[in-house]
Amino acid sequence: MIKVATFIVDRRNLFFLLFAIAIVFSVIAANWVKVEDQLSAYLPASFETRVGIDRMAEQFVTYGSAEVMVTNITYDTAKQIADEIEARDDVYMLTFDDTSSHYNNFSALYSITFRYPEDDERALEALESVKESLSDYDLYVSTSMGNATAETIEKEMQVVSVLVAIVVVSVLIFTSSTYAEVPVLLLTFGAGALLASGTNFLLGTISFVSDSVTIVLQLALSVDYAIIFCNRYKEEHEHLGIREADIVALSKSIPEIFSSSLTTIGGLIAMMFMQFGIGRDMAICLIKAIFLSLMAVFLLMPGLLMLFGPLMDRTKHKSFVPKISFVGKFDYHTRFFIAPLFVVIAVGAMLIQNHCPFVYGYSMIETPVKNEVQIADEMITESFGDSNFVALVVPAGDYEKERKLMARLESLPEVDHTQGLANTEAMGGYNLTDALTAREFSELMNVEYDTCQLLYLAYAVNDENYAKLLNGTAGYKVPLIDILMFLYREVEEGYVTLDDDLYETLSDANEKMQMAKDQLQGPDYSRMLVYLNLPEEGDETFAFLDRMHDIAGEFYDESQVLVAGESTSEYDLKKTFDRDNIVVSVVSILAVLVVLLFTFLSAGMPVLLILVIQGAIWVNFAFPALQHRNLFFMGYLIVSSIQMGANIDYAIVISGRYTEMRQIMDKKEAIVETLNFAFPTIITSGSMMVLAGAAIGRLTSDGTICGIGQCLSRGTIISIVLVMFVLPQILMVGERVIEKTSFKVSVPIKLDRGFGTVRVDGFVRGQVNGTVIGEMHAIVRGDVSAVVSMGQMVQLTEGDGPGEDGPAESGQSEAGRPESEQSEAGTVEEIPAGKEEA
């Protein structure tokens, strides 16, 4: 590690150049990242929602649509506006009447369908044109077209990022011991964040959740790494020069920081086992971000410390972080009371959080701020009620089955109405799919019967049921939509001639029928819209979706029936949560447990630490249950993983320091010293995570992101409280358990021996004309029998070393000598007799 650290520090200009190139590339590449806005896209491919979305995209055309509400107008004005909208060339259909479904409380609701598919830019342009024409009115628009929500989230997260940056700077200034360390830390954080953002394009497409919160969470999760290295550097710099302190600090920080990161990564790995793909998406983004943060700390920050080192020396100030000896004393005196009380609270919190009101859609979530889309939806719902519908997809080809199925569904109290080709009214009291004979069609269209017979005969030639004509044309029936569209094609090809009025009527009817067919009938499947008298989600709604499958199974092969919609999507999300909840909890605990086992070489210590953090998770999610506040399920899965992986670091810092202090102090002194040592690190990273989470939770309108921020902020506060006021008592009470479950293996220790004049560099435990335990950089005249770690001991020979005048001037380090004369840090050199250092 000494050699690696020396290379990094001495080649700092090379790393400055490499990071500069990488950052410029990342800024450019950030524009290449593709973002997926739909949560349903991350459902497993076998789930009904995904299959339904794929099948409908393949079989049907969905035209752009919008609900436009105009308030504070009379009915006459509303009717006039409806006529103006309907007359537009870019509007295919407008639904408006004098019922309370479309005019209520001096407000009008227009359901507009445009002539272009919803993914066509012309549909968005048409909507903007409609909005512009109504700009003089109070207007609210609800539509699924475009990316208005994604654009809103992006703007909100820009505000959050600025606020978090201010918070980070403020916290660093407050917790620093020298002002110049703040730019070092900020440059390190910034480099890691830019690299993480710019390399997301390598993942192809990422979710809007990952795109929004990764940078903020990266900062909160990896801030410890830079702070640990910086604190280690300042500690080494108390007795070493800038270069040597940088090298020694880096050599000691690499294994320490990497070990610390493993618990965080272990918690994130648990998210990769989720069925719901967004967990894997976030885990990969965050793990990549953490590795890039580690690279920034290990490769960039050493050079920054060399660059800012002199300024750090000149800008030292008194620490603003107070000593908290009173907390340690409180913990000591309450150790036999708090520990059992915590167990009771943890068990109670576990039972309460099992009743947390999880939801799987946004319809039942309240966010602190609302965007324009949410405000419009709420205003429309308040005036005209909520509308919930699903699409029922069945094999095509039998209009009669479709009619009977829709009639059966409409007879149920859970269904308001249905819409499909088989129950869409055409003209003369007929529906589009009603089968008519030639005479019935003749009477309907006011066309000569002989002409209609010839039309039917021409149609039959292309019909697979042509054999039916052998029994005569009188009983041969053709669905109205099919014969009308066939007639239009015959007219267009010049085989049939109609008068102008009839042709205009037929042309208009054909266009509407074609658009209806595009939306409701594909080559292999038909689609029916079922409007429900049920909320978007809930046990009753989910049970009825299953019942719809059973009813459709009476008419079709159930394996070919699909129900798609928001309700189905949320039902599928509920199914993934039931499994993912268990998997994430178990995997995150096991991953962290493995890391802690090899960190502490004890089975008892990891269990105690995990108990504290798991208790914090249970307490965290007991709050929504007690408040009866709906929580988006994904917030629980993601935050519980992050809380287990990241907040466990606080417990590691305290337990590791306490174990070390107990070797030389009694319990009371050890716990006081431990908390005074750990508090600056915990309050620095903890306050950043708390404030960053609070900013996300308070300033975003998206239910998923908002829930993650609120739960992360609250969970971190709870974790900090528990590791400061509960973990110490558990460590003191559980000392016997930790000792009994230790599996440290005693191995023979090789003692380095030297006689005469010896130079020693490294951590030493042994006898050097007396017992020495500590870091040593010295020339020894006499006998040395010691264990040397992080360095080595070398016998010196005659004719080498400094003169009798003694060591270099006070304050001069090896960094001040020419490179050719510098000794490797952590080595022992032979020095000739008579010229050894004093």
Side-chain angles (χ1 to χ4, degrees), residues 20-244:
I21 295 172
I23 288 171
V24 171
F25 174 79
S26 295
V27 171
I28 298 172
N31 298 317
W32 305 343
V33 180
K34 296 180 181 178
V35 180
E36 174 58 60
D37 299 323
Q38 299 298 320
L39 291 178
S40 56
Y42 292 92
L43 283 167
S46 60
F47 274 48
E48 186 172 23
T49 299
R50 282 292 303 277
V51 176
I53 290 173
D54 294 341
R55 184 170 295 176
M56 288 192 296
E58 175 189 337
Q59 294 281 321
F60 311 109
V61 176
T62 300
Y63 287 91
S65 62
E67 287 193 325
V68 177
M69 186 175 79
V70 181
T71 62
N72 302 318
I73 56 174
T74 64
Y75 178 76
D76 291 337
T77 303
K79 185 67 172 67
Q80 180 183 346
I81 292 173
D83 293 339
E84 292 173 357
I85 295 175
E86 194 169 20
R88 295 174 58 94
D89 293 336
D90 48 18
V91 172
Y92 156 61
M93 183 174 65
L94 178 134
T95 304
F96 176 78
D97 52 41
D98 59 357
T99 65
S100 59
S101 298
H102 291 279
Y103 185 80
N104 188 33
N105 294 330
F106 296 99
S107 298
L109 180 64
Y110 307 101
S111 298
I112 306 173
T113 303
F114 297 100
R115 294 184 181 275
Y116 315 108
E118 64 177 358
D119 56 356
D120 192 323
E121 284 295 324
R122 292 176 297 176
L124 276 174
E125 292 172 2
L127 176 59
E128 290 300 319
S129 179
V130 170
K131 290 165 63 176
E132 185 177 350
S133 68
L134 300 175
S135 59
D136 294 336
Y137 299 94
D138 295 328
L139 194 65
Y140 299 93
V141 178
S142 176
T143 181
S144 60
M145 295 190 300
N147 294 316
T149 301
E151 293 170 1
T152 300
I153 293 173
E154 183 178 359
K155 292 177 182 177
E156 292 171 348
M157 292 309 298
Q158 289 174 353
V159 175
V160 170
S161 298
V162 171
L163 183 60
V164 169
I166 295 173
V167 166
V168 168
V169 173
S170 302
V171 171
L172 290 178
I173 291 175
F174 176 77
T175 58
S176 68
S177 59
T178 170
Y179 292 117
E181 74 183 67
V182 175
V184 173
L185 296 174
L186 291 178
L187 288 171
T188 305
F189 299 153
L194 288 174
L195 292 177
S197 176
T199 54
N200 280 335
F201 82 96
L202 298 173
L203 304 178
T205 300
I206 64 173
S207 70
F208 72 95
V209 180
S210 300
D211 185 56
S212 300
V213 303
T214 294
I215 290 181
V216 177
L217 292 182
Q218 177 187 5
L219 170 63
L221 292 173
S222 61
V223 65
D224 288 353
Y225 311 148
I227 292 173
I228 289 172
F229 181 27
C230 188
N231 289 341
R232 176 67 74 174
Y233 164 79
K234 289 184 290 185
E235 182 181 337
E236 297 294 337
H237 188 43
E238 290 178 2
H239 55 83
L240 295 174
I242 293 176
R243 175 181 175 274
E244 190 172 3

Side-chain angles (χ1 to χ4, degrees), residues 421-548:
L421 286 180
N423 68 351
T424 299
E425 187 176 346
M427 58 183 74
Y430 291 108
N431 290 329
L432 279 177
T433 61
D434 286 348
L436 277 66
T437 63
R439 183 168 296 282
E440 290 170 334
F441 184 73
S442 169
E443 294 171 353
L444 175 66
M445 298 297 295
N446 196 23
V447 177
E448 292 183 359
Y449 176 59
D450 292 341
T451 302
C452 291
Q453 279 187 308
L454 292 174
L455 177 66
Y456 268 59
L457 180 62
Y459 179 89
V461 170
N462 298 312
D463 184 22
E464 61 183 10
N465 294 318
Y466 176 75
K468 292 182 179 179
L469 283 179
L470 298 176
N471 298 323
T473 60
Y476 181 63
K477 293 186 175 184
V478 179
L480 178 58
I481 185 174
D482 293 340
I483 195 64
L484 281 173
M485 295 183 73
F486 178 75
L487 174 59
Y488 178 77
R489 289 196 298 271
E490 294 294 296
V491 172
E492 287 295 296
E493 293 173 6
Y495 298 118
V496 177
T497 303
L498 300 176
D499 60 58
D500 291 343
D501 290 341
L502 187 56
Y503 174 76
E504 185 177 348
T505 301
L506 180 63
S507 178
D508 183 61
N510 180 78
E511 182 182 19
K512 291 182 177 179
M513 287 186 296
Q514 185 60 55
M515 293 187 74
K517 200 168 185 179
D518 288 343
Q519 297 182 87
L520 299 174
Q521 187 180 60
D524 305 305
Y525 291 89
S526 292
R527 176 165 61 177
M528 293 164 274
L529 303 182
V530 183
Y531 292 81
L532 305 176
N533 294 319
L534 295 170
E536 198 170 274
E537 72 171 283
D539 292 339
E540 186 181 4
T541 303
F542 297 154
F544 185 71
L545 294 178
D546 290 334
R547 189 179 177 192
M548 283 182 63

Side-chain angles (χ1 to χ4, degrees), residues 13 39 81 190-191 221 267 401 455 469 569 682 800 823 838:
N13 289 331
L39 291 178
I81 292 173
L221 292 173
K401 276 187 180 180
L455 177 66
L469 283 179
S569 175
I682 293 174
D800 297 326
S823 63

